[in-house]
């Protein structure tokens, strides 16, 4: 470039600066007359704003800064003007756009087809547009379409190629017509050129606003301007105006470095609680950008989220509060995007938007790509370092970032699965309950959302009359509230009360940290959780446990309510609580003293086999059902559920027994369900015992109604048959361990461990006799539960004695003697096994004799005939056994 050309260009720049400074008072005039400005038409506003932007474009930084030094109110007006620029020059392409905001309604004369400037184009507007249109790199979308520059030589014989002339001609020929009609009257080439110029104009305006924000941020960092430094509301307002508008790719490429500088300079202010609304909206729009098809924008959104995380580390040394905010924002975003879509076969699948969002959340925690992505965004690779001034420690921790990523992915997956379940929510109640449960646990670190989904789950259980599960949901809600109150030392409860609640509901969330509970995010927060709300849900749990007849849980619930009323000296409420406790304890005594064992539920193990069952394939669950649900009932119920899910190419088959299933040997295209009745295992029960399990043992302790181990016995013989004679009958005992304990928040729990043990025929026989002996001994040693009477329960003793010594039921004991103590089978017994069998038989007869003596002391005249039958039966049984064990006569 020659010196003459350089001098000419320098003089032109100086002239522009001089003119800008000359006309700068016009900006002040506009600010002074803002009420007048708001009364202008849309087109007139755009003309005024173009003039203002043209002046600001050519101002030097010192002159621009002066505009912000007069007063806070005037600075706010200046940025209000910039917000108007973003609104009035927003570009929306009809076919496809890069929008972070919900689609707006298009109306005649406004919105998508409204003119951006007057019909004749004032010289200032024309010059501004020409400058914008000459910026070749302004609009370069990367998602499949590219705006082509139009050659000025391209024209039509019937249409001029000058945009200004074309608009003037269209306007004059269509006076009174809508802007849309006027646009459609243009030649296609000119219409395309108009769209190109409008997009470049929009990009130029947005980029100029972004440049002003950068300069304002720099000036604010040295406190050289008049603004609200406590909240920086001018910055937050204009950033939100930028993010909430349709923006071209060029804007997003320029936005991220400015965004990074903004938080580097003012992160401590922008992330305070007073700016939670701003931070939450920023998080929302960044997550919204993470859904875009445009790969460049999507990657920039991930970097933007990492910048927020970096500032959380830098200012708070933790991401707990930001994680709560991001989770809340993700929950809101899920209702704003398409979650599912229909496949060609008519089935539902997750949408492409969800797939891209999942990819972005995964990349959020990928350390190996972070530096390359930062370079790609023209940001220093040290941008994520959270090193405070005067320290060498980097507070950034990738492990904690991965926790944030996983928390967001759990929420995303839970929401997607719930949406995919869709129409099946009303058919498959088990899957519906699990879906609500997954959502509750995905949002466990956000108390409000956690409680919301737990209450949905509680309602679902009440509809199914699953009272115990509904009660557990109410307990879980009360647990969340109690943890929040205890965490801020704002209640009559302490940690010991929370621990007591966890004994009732072991699934009370442990994910609520002090930081999560302290997070108050625009309508979300633990401050709304009160003692009264906790009492409300404890009372609901008490009511539901009463309906389930699990009275031992009711007692524990009331013991947690009483301290509240004591602290308030609410003697009337205390009296009601103690009256309720009296009724509960009496109900527990009735259950324990009843001759009919109390059973609160039935349990079934269900195995799923078949590729068409999806995620359930090769998994086992234990189902908890009402006490009156029999094996046939649950078979019918599950058949109906899973047949409705299968297409015509697959069939459902129920495996009728409990044998071991080899999934590789099953027919392809067939779905198999194996349903087996199982028994809950008591805490003190010996799982290696060969004894048979009877209902009286299962109901021995009303206080132990929390189960996480279950077993079932499968008879088999070595020759392949299921049943055989006593001498050939083997037994396989399978013990299942579930993921959690019943009663739970859901009706079924996954089996996480399964173990089997086989018992030989002689072990089975000895176990049967020992079981009957133990049942009788329990009745003799168990005292009455009322009035302090230590006598055994007569009715229960009569029932067991009748099943043990009456002549008509002696086939059990006599059958054992016949099978193992006579003929060829007796020769196969080892000496130790023979001695164990004889000892078991002798002990059984001795206990029977003792029980008959006790029975004689308990009965009145009305039971004498029954007692005589017992004595005769015992004598007959002794005589028969003496043929196999001669010593029995001397022993008895």
């Amino acid at each position: 470039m020659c010196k003459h050309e350089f001098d000419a260009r320098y003089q032109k720049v100086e002239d522009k600066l001089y003119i800008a400074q000359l006309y700068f008072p016009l900006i002040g005039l506009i600010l002074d007359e803002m009420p007048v400005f708001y009364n202008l038409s849309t087109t007139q506003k755009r003309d005024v704003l173009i003039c203002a932007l043209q002046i600001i474009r050519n101002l030097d930084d010192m002159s621009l800064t002066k505009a912000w030094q007069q007063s806070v109110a005037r600075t706010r007006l200046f940025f209000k003007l910039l917000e108007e620029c973003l609104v009035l020059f927003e570009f929306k392409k009809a076919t496809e756009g890069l929008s972070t905001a919900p689609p707006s309604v298009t109306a005649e004369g406004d919105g998508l087809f409204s003119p951006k400037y007057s019909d004749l184009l004032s010289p200032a507007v024309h010059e501004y547009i020409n400058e914008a249109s000459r910026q070749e790199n302004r609009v370069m979308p990367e998602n499949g379409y590219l705006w082509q520059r139009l050659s000025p030589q391209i024209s039509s014989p019937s249409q001029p190629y000058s945009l200004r002339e074309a608009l003037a001609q269209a306007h004059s020929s269509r006076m009174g017509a809508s802007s849309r009609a006027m646009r459609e009257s243009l030649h296609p080439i000119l219409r395309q050129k108009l769209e190109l110029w409008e997009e470049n104009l929009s990009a130029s305006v947005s980029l100029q606003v972004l440049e002003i924000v950068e300069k304002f941020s720099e000036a604010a960092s040295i406190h050289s301007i008049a603004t609200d430094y406590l909240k920086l509301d001018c910055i937050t307002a204009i950033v939100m105006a930028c993010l909430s508008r349709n923006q071209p790719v060029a804007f997003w490429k320029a936005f991220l470095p400015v965004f990074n500088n903004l938080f580097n300079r003012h992160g401590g202010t922008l992330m305070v609680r007073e700016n939670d609304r701003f931070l939450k909206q920023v998080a929302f729009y960044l997550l919204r950008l993470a859904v875009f098809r445009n790969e460049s924008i999507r990657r920039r959104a991930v970097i933007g989220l990492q910048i927020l995380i970096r500032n959380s580390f830098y200012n708070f040394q933790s991401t707990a509060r930001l994680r709560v905010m991001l989770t809340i924002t993700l929950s809101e975003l899920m209702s704003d995007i398409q979650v599912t879509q229909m496949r060609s076969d008519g089935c539902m699948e997750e949408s492409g938007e969800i797939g891209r969002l999942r990819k972005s959340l995964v990349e959020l925690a990928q350390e190996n790509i972070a530096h390359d992505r930062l370079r790609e965004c023209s940001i220093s690779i040290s941008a994520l370092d959270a090193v405070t001034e005067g320290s060498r420690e980097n507070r950034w921790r990738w492990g904690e970032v991965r926790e944030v990523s996983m928390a967001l992915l759990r929420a995303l997956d839970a929401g997607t699965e719930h949406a995919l379940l869709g129409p099946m929510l009303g058919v498959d109640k088990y899957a519906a309950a699990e879906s609500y449960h997954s959502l509750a646990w995905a949002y466990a670190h956000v108390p409000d959302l956690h409680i919301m989904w737990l209450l949905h789950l509680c309602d679902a259980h009440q509809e199914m009359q699953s009272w115990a599960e509904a009660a557990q949901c109410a307990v879980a809600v009360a647990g969340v509230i109690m943890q929040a109150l205890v965490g801020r030392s704002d209640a009559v409860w302490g940690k010991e009360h929370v621990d007591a609640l966890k004994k009732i509901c072991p699934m009370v969330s442990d994910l609520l940290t002090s930081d999560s509970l302290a997070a108050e995010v625009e309508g979300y927060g633990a401050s709304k959780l009160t003692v009264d709300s906790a009492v409300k849900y404890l009372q609901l749990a008490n009511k539901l446990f009463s309906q389930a007849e699990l009275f031992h849980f009711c007692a524990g619930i009331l013991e947690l309510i009483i301290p509240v009323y004591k602290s308030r000296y609410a003697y009337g409420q205390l009296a009601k609580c103690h009256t309720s406790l009296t009724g509960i304890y009496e109900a527990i005594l009735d259950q324990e003293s009843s001759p009919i064992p109390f059973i609160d539920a039935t349990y079934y193990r269900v195995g799923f086999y078949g590729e068409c069952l999806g995620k359930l394939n090769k998994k086992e669950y234990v189902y908890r059902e009402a006490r009156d649900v029999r094996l046939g009932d649950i078979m019918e119920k599950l058949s109906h559920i899973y047949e409705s899910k299968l297409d015509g190419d697959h069939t459902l088959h129920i495996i009728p027994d409990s044998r071991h299933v080899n999934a590789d040997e099953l027919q392809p295209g067939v779905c198999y369900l194996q349903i087996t009745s199982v028994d809950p295992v008591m805490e003190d029960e010996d799982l290696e015992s060969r004894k048979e399990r009877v209902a009286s043992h299962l109901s021995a302790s009303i206080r132990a109604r929390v189960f996480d181990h279950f077993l079932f016995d499968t008879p088999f013989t070595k020759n392949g048959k299921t049943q055989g004679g006593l001498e050939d009958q083997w037994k396989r005992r399978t013990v299942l361990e579930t993921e959690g304990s019943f009663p739970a928040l859901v009706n079924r729990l996954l089996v996480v461990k399964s173990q089997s043990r086989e018992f030989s025929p002689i072990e089975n026989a000895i176990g049967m006799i020992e079981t009957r002996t133990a049942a009788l001994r329990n009745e003799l040693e168990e005292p009455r539960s009322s009035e302090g009477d230590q006598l055994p329960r007569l009715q229960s003793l009569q029932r067991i004695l009748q099943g043990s010594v009456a002549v008509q039921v002696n086939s059990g004991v006599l059958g054992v003697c016949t099978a193992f103590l006579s003929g060829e089978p007796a020769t196969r017994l080892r000496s130790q096994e023979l001695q164990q069998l004889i000892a078991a038989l002798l002990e059984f007869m001795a206990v029977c004799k003792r029980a008959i003596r006790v029975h004689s002391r308990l009965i009145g005249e009305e039971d004498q005939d029954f007692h005589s039958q017992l004595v005769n039966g015992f004598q007959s049984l002794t005589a028969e056994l003496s043929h196999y064990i001669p010593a029995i006569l001397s022993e008895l």
Side-chain angles (χ1 to χ4, degrees), residues 776 780 797 801-802 804-806 844-859 866-875 877-878:
L776 264 177
L780 295 174
L797 179 61
L801 270 175
Q802 186 177 22
S804 299
V805 301
F844 171 73
M845 294 303 291
V847 174
C848 284
K849 183 177 180 180
R850 178 187 164 198
I852 290 173
R853 288 175 179 172
V854 172
H855 183 262
S856 68
R857 297 198 302 267
L858 296 175
I859 61 173
F866 179 75
H867 182 72
S868 298
Q869 292 176 13
L870 292 178
V871 172
N872 292 335
F874 178 75
Q875 291 173 348
L877 180 58
T878 303

Side-chain angles (χ1 to χ4, degrees), residues 214-234:
E214 171 69 12
K215 292 178 179 179
F216 183 85
S217 168
E218 187 176 0
S221 66
I222 58 175
H223 286 236
S224 63
I225 54 177
T227 189
D228 179 6
Y229 286 100
L230 294 178
K231 292 183 67 175
L232 292 175
D233 54 347
C234 291

